Amino acid sequence: MSGANRLLLTFCAVAVAFAAVDTYVVVLALPDMMAGAGIPVEELQRAAPIVSGFLLGYVAMLPLIGRIADLRGQVPVLAMSLVVFAAGSLVTAVSYDLPSMVAGRFLQGVGGGGLVPATMSLVAALYPVDRRGLPLGIVSAVQEFGSVLGPLFGAFVLSFTSWRGIFAINLAVGALLVAAVGLVSSSSGHRSDEGAQPASRGARRRVPDLVGLLLLAVTLGAGLLTFVRPGSLQRDLSWGRLFIPYVDGGSRWVTPVGVTTIAAFVVLVGWCWLRPRALVDLRGWLDHLRAADLLGAGLLAVVLGGIVLAFATADPEVAVFSPQGPWFLTGSAVAVVLLVLHLRRAPAPIVPRGTLRPMPAWGALAVSFLVGWALIAALVDIPLFARTTTEQDSQLGAALVLLRFLAALPVGAVVGGWLLRRVDAGVLTAVGMAAAGGAFLAMGQWDADSLHGFAANIPLVLGGLGFGLALAPVNAAILAVTDDDTHGLASALVVVARMVGMLVGISALTTIGLRRLYAAQESDPGLGITELGIVQEQAVFRGAAVAALAAAVLAVIVLSRVRTQNVDTAEALRAGG
């Protein structure tokens, strides 16, 4: 592989890491973001869309983005995902109310999520089956390392600026990565769309679209003024007229500057649609959306969106899913039926027929679901246990306990990728998840004094290493048994399965823990808050152990026939699956 391709993968890994950081950055910034949207701190539930909006964009749109990466090419999808991520960062940074903030977070989720399947597919395109393990492990490592850097990055930025500075930095980094990926991909000669383009035609496409750039500048400039509404301009006798609504009591979008924003955007879209080699090839992207099966993608997005909204907006202390959860899940169930009918009848469905037929393919999704189910218990309940049993009832102290687990996870991911050339994917996944299950069983025995001793580090580090070991083998297994033209979709489905497992797992495990707490309180009314909290967390850890051990057993059954350490062809691997 050329140095330019290695550099391209490096930039892609950095982009994945930065998007992963953004997933966790709102942990500390959420109270300030609520204030910016006019939501009182005591009404935390109203801020749930800030989190669920990001998850909705991340999960629901992943299969479509992964399929487009198969059809158009990984590099264009990577670049467009970065553009969408940067646009979402801009909207979030200048948002003035909850809807605009949620819209920005949704765009960030779409862009950040799209980076993962495109990068995984690029790894599969650049490396043979027996050499994918280490790069897949590195990509998995940087993705999970975002959970470590996210809160730290947020705390660092908040130490010298407001929460808006976090997303302004995201915008700047996203723009730089777009330029870097574009330059490196051009120098490497990596294909930019489904077919190779003649050099002269590619040179013509690189001529700047000055009209499109001007329209974009007007849209962004007027849009920023509409969002921000600088006080100095509003008070000016001349410039202030730009911010006066045409209709009494009208919104900021019916002011002269707001109408200018809308008009410039409409003209920009029309220009890009009608003009050949415009700033954005809208017709080309629409053609690939149609080829990716837009109807099937929409139905799949409804299925996943219903699950996200049902569980991500729930208060686990009250119910497994939100009060509107039954309606969301009913919509998902209806969409599942329609999707199955559509996949059987469509000439070119979003999930091509036979893609998930090999046992390792659908098995990898099932294992990934269980991995997410168990992993979320560590991310959420280790800090909760720390805050329950230590005198330092602070978010920082609890985060430092979790850091021992999180620091071991990317190390395990890299080691797991390296071992794939020597160990079967099923065996390696089983070893990792068995280690994670054993770690949870040990955590299930923790008492009020456990975190004060050195021995508590053993299950924390062992659990992180175990989960890390399992990440690359699952991705490598599904890539080994699927066709080259479905690698983007396959990678997206693995991520979706893990995210859905996390959403369902946190609600189910927390509910199990609460039921154990209520039972203990009823049997012994004299138990204090700390004792009851320990009982609850012990039940959650034991439930996570069951999920982790189930993932280990299932991995041996469904992934054991995948030989990622062999240099056999993908056809031989598929025949074996």
Side-chain angles (χ1 to χ4, degrees), residues 219-245:
T219 302
L220 291 176
L224 284 173
L225 290 175
T226 304
F227 272 84
V228 179
R229 303 179 72 178
S232 58
L233 291 182
Q234 289 190 78
R235 291 188 296 269
D236 188 87
L237 294 178
S238 299
W239 293 103
R241 297 175 182 177
L242 296 176
F243 302 94
I244 300 175

Side-chain angles (χ1 to χ4, degrees), residues 467-484:
F467 277 108
L469 284 176
L471 294 178
V474 174
N475 289 316
I478 196 169
L479 290 173
V481 298
T482 52
D483 293 324
D484 293 345

Side-chain angles (χ1 to χ4, degrees), residues 395-454:
Q395 193 172 26
L396 178 60
L400 290 176
V401 175
L402 179 62
L403 184 62
R404 306 167 202 175
F405 174 92
L406 294 176
L409 202 155
V411 175
V414 175
V415 172
W418 179 76
L419 287 175
L420 266 177
R421 297 190 68 176
R422 297 160 177 81
V423 183
D424 291 350
V427 173
L428 190 55
T429 303
V431 170
M433 293 313 297
F440 277 128
L441 289 175
M443 294 178 197
Q445 303 299 319
W446 279 351
D447 56 29
D449 298 320
S450 294
L451 292 182
H452 298 291
F454 179 80

Side-chain angles (χ1 to χ4, degrees), residues 12 15-23 53-67 69 74 77-86 89 104-121 139 143 487-496 498-499:
C12 292
V16 169
F18 205 78
V21 166
D22 195 71
T23 306
F54 182 91
L55 290 174
L56 184 63
Y58 194 102
V59 175
M61 303 304 294
L62 262 181
L64 176 60
I65 298 173
R67 188 65 185 134
Q74 299 91 3
V77 171
L78 282 164
M80 185 57 69
S81 295
L82 284 168
V83 169
V84 174
F85 177 79
S89 300
R105 291 292 290 166
F106 175 81
L107 289 175
Q108 282 187 297
V110 172
L115 295 170
V116 180
T119 301
M120 295 290 188
S121 178
V139 173
Q143 183 183 7
H487 281 164
L489 174 68
S491 300
L493 292 177
V494 169
V495 177
V496 166
R498 187 165 70 247
M499 294 296 293

